[in-house]
Amino acid sequence: MAMEAEAAPLGEAIGAFRSESPPWARALPCRLDVAPATASRPEVVLAVNGIDPRTGVDCIGSTAAALTTQTVLTAYPGDEIDLVLSVGTAGGWSRLGADIGDVYMAWDRFVSHDRRIDIPGFDAFARGDLPAADLRHHAAALGCRTGIVTTGDSLDESPDDQERIRASGAEVKEMEAAAVAWVAHLHGVPVGAVKAITDLVDSPVSTSEQFTANLAAAAQSLRETTLALLDRLGADS
Ligand code: SAH
């Protein structure tokens, strides 16, 4: 997860306690909390990007997300982690039927919309097209929508971004998932995403205004949906 405010309700609900970072990760802002397995739930490592020491805000975005994912998958090698989930808030589009408060699961892939490299081979690398774990039956059971998740390092949507997002067919816009997915794929671990819509990109109201108004409610729905998903994953295993 990217932001403390997104992670706090979930961390509290699963009873996650702080685990000490491994020595090689001490310089990184990310934070790993661990919640032991329960009768219904698998063990969960709740990894949060943490606070940037220079500016004092959450380390949102792809660089920190990649570092956090690498830290988790090194501290808990691949055979111990069954699934990586990128959980957080996101923008949606009313033209695609999204509403504030909807929760999406990623399907069928993660893409990047602000990595433009017009050279054969590098264009595909930049876009990503990283497959998402098939959580569609869980999404259906939990009343979640599914859609392609698109990642970029800006909150706004530039005209270039808009064109690329339309071409990719993405329905969920955020700033971390494709980076998390890239690192998870390097480790051979399946990756999914749970994203609560805080803002509608095609609304006349500014994204930051919508985001601020809806963050607390979104964090609660992330908690509810992720808890329910963890229970279902526990029941499957
Ligand atoms: N802290 C800032 C805004 C952070 S919003 C503030 O309070 O104004 C960015 C975070 O929310 C990112 O972690 C991103 O993944 C997610 N997000 C929510 N809506 C988004 C959108 N429309 N575009 C990109 N990222 C979005």
Side-chain angles (χ1 to χ4, degrees):
M1 299 183 79
M3 298 179 70
E4 298 292 342
E6 291 168 339
L10 179 63
E12 202 173 303
I14 60 177
F17 57 86
R18 187 67 40 89
S19 89
E20 205 184 327
S21 289
W24 44 263
R26 298 240 164 95
L28 305 180
C30 68
R31 188 160 70 57
L32 307 189
D33 293 352
V34 178
T38 67
S40 66
R41 235 181 1 246
E43 181 182 22
V44 178
V45 181
L46 174 59
V48 186
N49 286 355
I51 303 296
D52 177 44
R54 227 171 48 79
T55 54
V57 300
D58 295 291
C59 294
I60 61 178
S62 64
T63 307
L67 282 172
T68 302
T69 310
Q70 171 64 13
T71 302
V72 176
L73 291 174
T74 313
Y76 300 84
D79 55 351
E80 290 179 31
I81 302 268
D82 300 312
L83 176 68
V84 170
L85 287 173
S86 171
V87 177
T89 58
W93 283 268
S94 41
R95 69 173 164 83
L96 299 172
D99 262 322
I100 305 288
D102 285 352
V103 181
Y104 279 78
M105 290 189 197
W107 181 255
D108 60 354
R109 72 199 108 112
F110 299 96
V111 295
S112 293
H113 57 256
D114 66 353
R115 298 175 7 134
R116 293 177 292 278
I117 311 174
D118 188 16
I119 305 173
F122 291 95
D123 50 358
F125 167 71
R127 198 173 54 248
D129 290 316
L130 298 150
D134 189 355
L135 303 175
R136 280 178 294 173
H137 56 302
H138 297 306
L142 298 174
C144 296
R145 306 173 64 111
T146 55
I148 295 171
V149 176
T150 188
T151 301
D153 268 306
S154 299
L155 184 59
D156 68 353
E157 188 197 45
S158 72
D160 266 343
D161 295 344
Q162 188 177 63
E163 200 182 308
R164 298 167 69 83
I165 289 170
R166 277 185 186 259
S168 73
E171 298 193 37
V172 180
K173 175 178 180 288
E174 50 77 87
M175 299 175 64
E176 292 85 18
V180 172
W182 185 65
V183 178
H185 275 269
L186 292 176
H187 287 264
V189 180
V191 55
V194 179
K195 299 283 163 175
I197 301 301
T198 43
D199 56 274
L200 296 170
V201 180
D202 51 359
S203 155
V205 183
S206 79
T207 297
S208 58
E209 198 175 317
Q210 296 180 69
F211 178 85
T212 307
N214 298 317
L215 174 60
Q220 295 301 328
S221 24
L222 285 175
R223 182 188 66 174
E224 295 317 316
T225 304
T226 308
L227 281 174
L229 176 60
L230 290 170
D231 280 344
R232 293 181 58 87
L233 293 169
D236 279 359
S237 61

